[in-house]
Amino acid sequence: MCGIVGYVGHRDVVPVLLEGLTRLEYRGYDSAGVAALRREGSLSIRRAAGKLVNLKAELEDSPLAGHYGLGHTRWATHGKPTTENAHPHQDADGRIVLVHNGIIENFLDLRAGLEANGVDFVSDTDTEVIVHLVASHYEGNLENAVRRTLADLEGIYAIVVASVDEPDKLVVARQGPPIVIGVGEHENFIASDVPPVLEYTRDVIFLDDGLVGIVTPDSVVVTDHAGAIVDAPAQQISWDPITAEKGGYEHFMLKEIFEQPTAVRDSLVGRVNRRAIEIDLGELNLEEELANSMSELLLLGCGTSWHAALVGRYWIEKLAGLPVKVDQASEFRYRDPLVAANSVACALTQSGETADTLAAMREAKARGATLWSICNVVGSMATRISDGVLLTQAGPEISVASTKAFTSQLTCLYLMALKLGELRGRLSHEAVELRLHALARIPGQIEELLTHADKFAGVAERVAHFKQFLFIGRGVMYPIALEGALKLKELSYLHAHGYPAGEMKHGPIALIDDGVPVVALAPQSSLYEKTASNMQEARARDGFIIGVGTEGDDALAEFCDELMTIPDCLPEFSPLLAIVPLQLLAYHVAVQLGCDVDQPRNLAKSVTVE
Ligand code: G6P
């Protein structure tokens, strides 16, 4: 997904922009560029297809300096990832320059209109129409020209605009994709996310949809589209910039896998009291009355977050006796869904900015549901449109493939299930207490599991040459099979299919031979025997069996080619443990195959377009 940075202040602008773009690399991109403007009235742009290293090489060949400027990493939507299509884009006179994240849906009409007025286009992007429109509306005041332009646009955007005619000024606008303004001393920063600004300031303004910011070295003024000033106070961010570094690990993903004990623990802090007997989900606004009047819970999400939702369904139905529906947000928003009276819709979203998830949330709200979100980003759009929020406390997740955000989502979902169960009278205090004690042990058990990380690397070495994989599980292990398969395909580009173990004989069994490893999730539970039978069926067809089972399960070891074990736990907690070996399996296979682990091809961390 595109990344935006902007700077105005006393520093040389280009290093600040490049540093900022580097911190946004996790979003995924295919080209990059910067524009530097000087107070004396010059504007220069450098762009390059591919990774930031290419832009840096371009800047070494042809250096730039300036007092204020913009930078961008582009994730192509309209037009190929070429240098010509890379941002920033400028108007025909080279006086106004712009970067954009999002999609302008009516760009073809706008482009035709501009071309009819003699404007020549030099790129295939939807973005270029915006800069020409700003130029056509420009009458000596950039923010006015931007506001008039916004009235022409249909779609979603975050834009930053600068002009040589108005030194030391950046105009920023948002309708959809996130924008953060970092407030410094005689300098200000703009970015798509918090990490680029953290090095300089902890005071940030999360720009709301429909607003325009006018940013100079000594001021940030926020207005609506009509120009009326809107109060937009800065908030203090507590994240340590160091947490966004790799911390000695070879990849962010590995670091984040190892951060899961902390992420799970932090997600419990302040919610489960020290004696582990009470749950406080204050910010969710879940009162007894709501818990008992709710007719159903709709869980919405995409990708890994959807898998977390699928696990949540098992827990909430079982512990709270509440009907749960789970939808991929991209499907929910387009299928005219029925939302019963007194429904609560809860979005699972690591970023809080996934376009499909936000649209599904708005759809559910429009159909009368109370809106909750389980989210990892304070101040993100999902949290702002929700009536209740549970923050996952995983810290920034940089690797595109989600790991610690997932286990933190599971932790929050489990707490939600327990709280609902308690408030609805389905769980006694003793039952809650028993589970909270067991849950409090999970971070330590993940730590224990991670001490076997080398063993999982060894399994990866044995299987990295296979071309396709089947992942199977039953009950609460089925979504973990889906997530394990997703991790493997995202990272290593191998075909991996997640399936309910009980459905194997209805199709996928036809695939199994000695070239297809079967990853089977069989920790101790009431479904253990059934899954074990499915594993034997696969083995009888020469499948290479990789089991995930409970420590000390010698019987399972007998019919596995490789067995990855997890510590003994209450069966309902096994998703929180069983996913860890699968994350490490996917990670090590990808490393073996020389894949770009942290930024897999074609993927983006935060998909802010549908
Ligand atoms: C992208 C990411 C996935 C993530 C999904 C949903 O596809 O690559 O890792 O699971 O978006 O993102 P969200 O931020 O809404 O959880």
Side-chain angles (χ1 to χ4, degrees), residues 302-305 348-352 354 357 400-402 409 490 604-605 607:
C302 298
T304 291
S305 292
L348 279 295
T349 170
Q350 173 276 130
S351 63
T354 301
T357 304
V400 168
S402 187
Q409 286 172 336
E490 280 180 319
K605 181 73 186 160
V607 182

Side-chain angles (χ1 to χ4, degrees), residues 220-521:
V220 177
V221 176
V222 176
T223 77
D224 62 16
H225 283 198
I229 293 185
V230 172
D231 192 27
Q235 303 180 22
Q236 274 240 323
I237 292 289
S238 59
W239 287 354
D240 179 347
I242 305 296
T243 60
E245 301 296 337
K246 282 188 201 161
Y249 288 93
E250 201 178 335
H251 297 98
F252 280 114
M253 182 182 178
L254 191 59
K255 172 175 172 273
E256 287 158 7
I257 290 172
F258 275 81
E259 283 173 346
Q260 291 181 107
T262 311
V264 171
R265 214 173 264 131
D266 287 354
S267 300
L268 297 173
V269 167
R271 297 188 172 129
V272 179
N273 70 349
R274 209 140 19 111
R275 286 165 49 226
I277 52 172
E278 263 170 37
I279 308 166
D280 177 1
L281 304 181
E283 55 305 11
L284 196 58
N285 299 321
L286 170 58
E287 304 296 339
E288 192 166 347
E289 194 193 325
L290 178 60
N292 286 291
S293 61
M294 275 165 83
S295 56
E296 62 179 12
L297 183 64
L298 309 172
L299 297 177
L300 305 168
C302 298
T304 291
S305 292
W306 175 64
H307 294 156
L310 289 172
V311 175
R313 174 167 64 190
Y314 287 91
W315 285 338
I316 294 164
E317 289 192 338
K318 178 176 173 208
L319 299 173
L322 179 68
V324 178
K325 289 185 195 154
V326 181
D327 252 298
Q328 280 150 328
S330 54
E331 286 297 309
F332 182 84
R333 65 183 290 195
Y334 290 123
R335 73 170 167 76
D336 202 9
L338 294 178
V339 176
N342 300 322
S343 293
V344 175
C346 178
L348 279 295
T349 170
Q350 173 276 130
S351 63
E353 301 290 351
T354 301
D356 282 325
T357 304
L358 292 175
M361 290 173 78
R362 292 186 174 114
E363 185 68 39
K365 179 113 187 152
R367 287 167 189 257
T370 299
L371 209 51
W372 288 347
S373 54
I374 295 182
C375 183
N376 198 39
V377 181
V378 192
S380 61
M381 187 51 84
T383 63
R384 280 185 281 152
I385 62 175
S386 295
D387 304 306
V389 177
L390 268 187
L391 288 170
T392 36
Q393 311 294 4
E397 191 178 66
I398 306 296
S399 166
V400 168
S402 187
T403 52
K404 63 176 180 170
F406 177 69
T407 36
S408 305
Q409 286 172 336
L410 293 186
T411 307
C412 288
L413 279 165
Y414 191 81
L415 289 179
M416 183 187 281
L418 277 189
K419 189 73 187 173
L420 281 166
E422 189 182 32
L423 292 173
R424 290 165 61 84
R426 299 285 294 223
L427 292 176
S428 65
H429 280 309
E430 294 68 38
V432 171
E433 209 177 313
L434 178 95
R435 288 178 164 87
L436 286 179
H437 277 107
L439 180 59
R441 286 178 39 222
I442 294 292
Q445 291 188 311
I446 301 177
E447 260 153 25
E448 189 188 326
L449 185 52
L450 287 168
T451 60
H452 308 307
D454 286 352
K455 150 113 180 137
F456 307 141
V459 177
E461 215 164 295
R462 264 192 91 185
V463 301
H465 65 282
F466 287 108
K467 297 289 174 246
Q468 54 173 324
F469 291 72
L470 184 63
F471 285 67
I472 56 170
R474 282 174 184 260
V476 79
M477 283 295 112
Y478 161 53
I480 298 303
L482 292 177
E483 176 61 8
L486 180 68
K487 286 283 93 76
L488 187 64
K489 71 185 128 197
E490 280 180 319
L491 294 173
S492 63
Y493 320 140
L494 296 174
H495 180 250
H497 201 60
Y499 228 77
E503 282 285 299
M504 193 179 77
K505 62 176 86 56
H506 299 297
I509 201 164
L511 294 171
I512 297 173
D513 61 20
D514 60 5
V516 181
V518 178
V519 182
L521 292 151

